[in-house]
Amino acid sequence: MPTVRVGDIDVYYEIHGEGPPLVFIGGLGVDLTVFAPFTDLLARTFRVLTFDNRGAGRTDKPDAPYSIPMMADDTLGLMDALGIARANVVGVSMGGRIAMELAAEHPSRIDRLVLISTAATGTGRLRMSLPARILGLAKRLHLLRAEGETQRQPHYAHHHQLTASTTYDGTDRLPAISAPTLILHARRDRSMKPAAALATRVGIRDSEIEFFRGGHMFFLLTQRDAVAARVEDFLQDWRDRRWPSTLAEI
């Protein structure tokens, strides 16, 4: 299994596709297999790095408090370990908060940013949408791709992730994000209210927002192709860029 030591944990990761680097950061309580149908679409155009966050999947799950800045450091450490100097970043739900923190703290490492089903503030009631519930069931029934047996997330690890996400408030961090940003959100999202997504859009000066039908994690099932195409369109100007090949070049 491809794992690398990052700080105090071993991180499980996969790389798919060829092209400019794209780092995909997943959400609360799930491993990378849940997002594989979506990241496989992105891998048609990009070299996609996807991984299990601290506390999920085949990454280590220390029984100690987690935070969004901590998990942003995990992501940066993984990029460093794999020699990824700069990349587009796509973050989903909790992963979007991690992506925002990463972009604010390390702007030189991010080219463009895509935030899906997320917002800068972590308040609100957590509710799983129908797509998220269906894909969770599919994972438990082994209907999704998985190269190896994944681990059921322990209750304590879910609690640490949930606390990190729901207590995070990155509002003051948004002005530090300089990467052009696309926000994709659902009109009926109950976990991350549309108003919070709009406030995030206002806070990031070079950003745009687009709404889709459905609830939280709307993009996982019937709208997957359309959302992937929208992400690719937003990131399309990579063709005219020279990407740094080493950390020393950024």
Side-chain angles (χ1 to χ4, degrees), residues 175-249:
I177 297 176
S178 58
T181 301
L182 173 65
I183 301 170
L184 302 178
H185 212 79
R187 296 185 183 93
R188 298 179 63 188
D189 195 325
R190 297 180 179 180
S191 294
M192 309 280 186
K193 299 291 187 181
L198 286 167
T200 302
R201 151 72 183 89
V202 171
I204 302 174
R205 61 182 177 272
D206 187 5
S207 65
E208 57 188 279
I209 191 167
E210 186 169 334
F211 285 95
F212 288 74
R213 68 180 185 276
H216 194 59
M217 309 290 265
F218 64 95
F219 70 99
L220 290 177
L221 293 175
T222 59
Q223 300 182 84
R224 189 165 56 226
D225 289 344
V227 174
R230 182 66 183 91
V231 172
E232 289 174 345
D233 181 65
F234 178 72
L235 303 178
Q236 66 182 350
D237 69 346
W238 62 264
R239 295 177 179 86
D240 299 323
R241 295 174 181 269
R242 177 187 175 275
W243 291 77
S245 58
T246 66
L247 296 178
E249 290 187 54

Side-chain angles (χ1 to χ4, degrees), residues 65-133:
Y66 304 168
S67 70
I68 295 299
M70 176 189 292
M71 289 187 277
D73 286 344
D74 292 340
T75 306
L76 183 69
L78 180 60
M79 291 173 64
D80 288 346
L82 299 178
I84 299 174
R86 186 178 175 93
N88 292 307
V89 175
V90 177
V92 175
S93 193
M94 181 186 75
R97 290 173 176 153
I98 296 169
M100 283 183 265
E101 182 69 24
L102 179 65
E105 189 66 23
H106 302 281
S108 67
R109 306 297 295 274
I110 311 298
D111 190 67
R112 289 194 161 206
L113 183 65
V114 179
L115 304 174
I116 304 177
S117 295
T118 194
T121 54
T123 57
R125 182 178 178 183
L126 179 68
R127 296 184 182 182
M128 296 298 286
S129 65
L130 179 60
R133 292 197 299 270

